[in-house]
Amino acid sequence: MSADQYSVCVVGLGSMGMGAARSCISAGLATYGVDVNPAACQALRDAGAVSADSNASAFADQLDAVLLLVVNAAQCKTVLFGEEGLAAKLRPGSGVMVSATISASDAREIAIRLADFGLVALDAPVSGGATKAAAGEITIMASGSEDAFSRLQPVIDAISSKLYRIGEEIGLGSLVKIVHQLLAGVHIAAGAEAMALASRAGIPLDVMYEVVTNAAGNSWMFENRMKHVVDGDYSPRSAVDIFVKDLRLVAETALALNFPLPLASTAYTMFADASNSGFGKEDDAAVIKTFAGISLPGVMESKP
């Protein structure tokens, strides 16, 4: 390893984080990982990471950048400012790329607190799923200073195929992601409703899926998530509870603007119902399980 090799730590080795970390390794970055799951840390070490552990205490002072791919703002703040907080251990001038889906106000708060430690924040939510993360082809919608973009450019190059620079004001990237999640959540909910109707009408779901994915009613979320329904596979790539959280952010953003969102409100109710019914940790396609009286591959028939 060269003395001047760029070093990055990916915090959160779930489906997106693991893919992003592997992409950093493939790009030649000195890559570290943090996750509470020992198996995920071992998998990243096996893939070529310099180190991976439940916290970054042993290597924080060696890092040029941190990429946060955790679930929510609370986790971001705990990682950065909690008892074992990274912010106090990083070298001043290090870049922190906050890529969780969080509110604009939380993004601004985190950036201000990072600046107190001499750290540079980039508000940089991502999209694309585990497959694109593993291929280094995710989409980034980011806002921040020119300095932040410059310091984090090696990470951006390693993990993404598209970067949208929304502006300099922290929070703008998060707002764009929240609007995006409105569409993503509604598309999953609508896809589930369509496939539930097909099931009730006696249409084989593999046939319905094939028709839609080759016709005008298709969407990226339908094609990706409804395949899980056809396969009867609800292992979580992105869980129901994540969309409960994301659509709540959508609703809170709209409330602050006194703006009505009838479709997003209905989608939120559907995901909240799925979570309340015990499907919160399953893949977000499991929102379809809340429809009664239908037969789904790999799932016992719902009660009428």
Side-chain angles (χ1 to χ4, degrees), residues 224 237 246 278:
N224 185 272
R237 289 78 161 180
D246 286 1

Side-chain angles (χ1 to χ4, degrees), residues 11-54:
V11 181
L13 301 175
S15 56
M16 286 284 283
M18 182 63 76
R22 288 174 180 266
S23 293
C24 288
I25 293 169
S26 297
L29 307 185
T31 304
Y32 299 78
V34 169
D35 199 279
V36 294
N37 181 357
C41 292
Q42 185 60 55
L44 190 63
R45 291 193 293 269
D46 292 344
V50 180
S51 182
D53 208 335
S54 59

Side-chain angles (χ1 to χ4, degrees), residues 50 83 113 149:
V50 180
E83 187 176 342
R113 294 179 69 178
F149 279 102

